[in-house]
Amino acid sequence: LILFLVVIGLFGVHSSARLGGLLQSVSTDRVSSILLISEAHIEAAFHYRTLYELASETDKMVIEDIEKDLKTRETNVRKSLSSYARAALSAREAELLQRFDGVWPVYMGLVQRVGELARQVEHGPELLQRGFPARQAAPQEEARLNLVERP
């Protein structure tokens, strides 16, 4: 009877250790990845919204502050995505990340262009009336949303 109880106890300890390892794996691979991609998504969304502030602003001091905020958000997006890329990604996740990485530099070129135009006096509000930067940033927005809403 004691031998039977010891065997059951050892089986329980082994099963608990295996379950703990599986939970650790899920936490490391999935939950951390979800948090990282969520952080990048939020920062990129704020970056995109801040781009509108930049396009509509005419005060040069405020424009400088907005550009600093944009750089900080860009750094945060890159840092989160860099950590996310090191996680165990599915083929679909890797493809979506690669697609986002392909359009992000184009989007950042747009940000630079909006900054240049915003520094020209009274040019910012005209940008918004012409639908700039919304149409030009659409590929980045689509890639960002696809990355977060992956199947």
Side-chain angles (χ1 to χ4, degrees):
L1 180 66
I2 293 175
L3 180 62
F4 181 69
L5 291 175
V6 168
V7 169
I8 289 176
L10 289 174
F11 181 75
V13 168
H14 173 70
S15 296
S16 294
R18 199 173 99 227
L19 182 60
L22 290 172
L23 287 173
Q24 179 69 26
S25 172
V26 166
S27 173
T28 301
D29 294 342
R30 303 309 318 154
V31 175
S32 297
S33 295
I34 290 169
L35 289 174
L36 288 169
I37 199 64
S38 295
E39 289 172 6
H41 169 67
I42 290 168
E43 287 295 324
F46 279 122
H47 192 283
Y48 181 63
R49 291 179 188 147
T50 305
L51 183 60
Y52 278 90
E53 290 178 40
L54 181 62
S56 63
E57 188 56 57
T58 56
D59 184 313
K60 295 204 185 299
M61 294 293 285
V62 176
I63 288 171
E64 288 178 13
D65 290 340
I66 292 171
E67 287 179 329
K68 287 178 190 172
D69 184 40
L70 285 169
K71 288 205 182 300
T72 300
R73 293 192 185 282
E74 177 190 0
T75 301
N76 292 342
V77 168
R78 283 277 134 222
K79 187 166 50 169
S80 293
L81 288 179
S82 175
S83 297
Y84 175 73
R86 289 191 297 270
L89 302 178
S90 69
R92 176 79 174 138
E93 290 168 332
E95 174 193 341
L96 291 171
L97 180 60
Q98 186 177 13
R99 188 179 309 162
F100 180 85
D101 285 341
V103 297
W104 185 256
V106 175
Y107 170 74
M108 290 311 299
L110 169 68
V111 170
Q112 183 177 356
R113 178 78 176 122
V114 170
E116 292 166 0
L117 293 172
R119 283 190 282 285
Q120 297 174 10
V121 179
E122 299 298 324
H123 200 51
E126 180 186 322
L127 291 174
L128 294 177
Q129 290 170 355
R130 293 188 316 195
F132 195 78
R135 285 191 304 266
Q136 291 81 359
Q140 179 271 341
E141 279 298 287
E142 180 183 347
R144 177 179 62 84
L145 293 174
N146 285 339
L147 189 59
V148 174
E149 298 170 358
R150 66 193 184 277

